[in-house]
Amino acid sequence: NCIRNKISDKAKPFVHFTATSHDIINTAESARYKDFANNVLIPVLIDFQKTLIDLALREKDTLQIIEILNGLASTGEEAHVPKQIFKHYVEHPEPGVRLAALRAISKYRDEESFQLLTSYMKDKDAEVRRQVLNCLCWTFGERCLSFALNALHDADPGVRKAASQISGALKAHQAISGLITLLSDSDNDVQRNAALSLKKITGQDFGFKATASKKHKEDAIEAWRFWWRENQVEFDRSKS
């Protein structure tokens, strides 16, 4: 109507063909997005970019080492890259560097690599322990089971979660008792994964939900304990 008021009566019937309500609305939206981008988003992104640059300059040596290690590990030609290059960095004080070196070493898939990886299941950094456990699982399969069982009792919830997932993926009946214990874990995510793995291993489901009330969880945990007391001997015998 604003446009029609400013043109001749002869032209008025054609306004709708060139300026629909959506034309007006979308043009206004575009102008609003432009103002938001110029006045809010871009300045924030520029500040964020400056922060990233400062971090990159501060950590340049570590980042360069990790990039080099990852680059070497991704060539797919382990035989042409001496393992000693990676072994040099497994004792580096920076956890990210240790992880990059250990992931690269896992690709050699030999006994020395297995022994070296397992020694880092006691690393002081929880993320190193978690990722080493995953490397052991995906590279060496069931050979990692004893380490996964021990990791069910790790001090870090991320490691306990990974151990629960691996136990379920391997359908390890040896983990049942530990997984039942983890249903009472302080971390809900650990509880959830322990319940999922128990179901995978045993085929049983006593209605445990990590988000349920305390009473509901206690009842489900007691059901699991009762079932395990009644079936442990027979279950272990059938899996041996």
Side-chain angles (χ1 to χ4, degrees):
N1 288 335
C2 292
I3 296 174
R4 286 165 61 90
N5 291 336
K6 296 183 180 298
I7 60 176
S8 66
D9 291 340
K10 187 176 180 179
K12 287 180 180 179
F14 300 97
V15 170
H16 181 71
F17 294 108
T18 57
T20 66
S21 58
H22 281 290
D23 290 323
I24 306 303
I25 292 171
N26 291 341
T27 300
E29 290 288 354
S30 298
R32 187 171 68 165
Y33 295 151
K34 179 182 177 181
D35 288 343
F36 168 75
N38 289 337
N39 300 324
V40 181
L41 181 60
I42 292 176
V44 170
L45 290 177
I46 289 173
D47 288 341
F48 181 56
Q49 183 186 54
K50 290 178 181 177
T51 300
L52 291 178
I53 291 171
D54 290 342
L55 286 172
L57 291 173
R58 191 182 72 196
E59 306 292 342
K60 61 183 185 299
D61 292 334
T62 294
L63 292 173
Q64 287 172 354
I65 292 170
I66 294 174
E67 287 301 319
I68 291 170
L69 294 176
N70 286 335
L72 289 171
S74 64
T75 62
E77 297 291 339
E78 284 76 26
H80 301 301
V81 182
K83 193 191 304 178
Q84 191 61 37
I85 291 177
F86 302 114
K87 289 173 65 178
H88 176 75
Y89 289 103
V90 295
E91 295 183 5
H92 195 280
E94 169 59 43
V97 176
R98 296 201 298 277
L99 270 176
L102 289 165
R103 281 196 297 262
I105 287 171
S106 72
K107 295 185 178 183
Y108 287 82
R109 300 174 180 270
D110 57 13
E111 185 62 25
E112 182 186 27
S113 301
F114 178 79
Q115 295 299 330
L116 189 57
L117 285 168
T118 57
S119 69
Y120 278 84
M121 282 305 301
K122 296 181 180 180
D123 193 274
K124 62 182 180 180
D125 186 86
E127 184 62 11
V128 172
R129 299 196 301 274
R130 187 186 71 80
Q131 292 208 33
V132 165
L133 181 59
N134 284 331
C135 283
L136 283 169
C137 175
W138 302 125
T139 306
F140 296 99
E142 292 187 0
R143 288 192 69 186
C144 80
L145 179 56
S146 62
F147 299 95
L149 295 177
N150 287 333
L152 291 173
H153 311 288
D154 193 275
D156 181 77
V159 179
R160 297 196 299 274
K161 174 184 173 181
S164 298
Q165 293 171 328
I166 290 170
S167 298
L170 295 176
K171 294 189 175 180
H173 67 282
Q174 302 94 322
I176 293 175
S177 181
L179 290 170
I180 292 174
T181 299
L182 288 185
L183 295 177
S184 302
D185 195 90
S186 58
D187 186 278
N188 280 3
D189 215 18
V190 174
Q191 295 177 18
R192 185 180 301 107
N193 281 277
L196 289 172
S197 291
L198 281 168
K199 187 175 180 179
K200 287 181 182 178
I201 297 168
T202 67
Q204 303 294 318
D205 184 0
F206 296 103
F208 180 89
K209 302 292 182 184
T211 56
S213 66
K214 181 179 179 181
K215 178 66 166 60
H216 182 88
K217 289 198 284 188
E218 288 175 348
D219 290 344
I221 292 170
E222 185 55 38
W224 269 111
R225 289 171 176 163
F226 179 80
W227 175 86
W228 188 230
R229 286 194 299 269
E230 294 294 311
N231 294 275
Q232 181 175 2
V233 174
E234 183 178 348
F235 199 91
D236 285 344
R237 185 187 302 121
S238 68
K239 297 294 182 179
S240 61

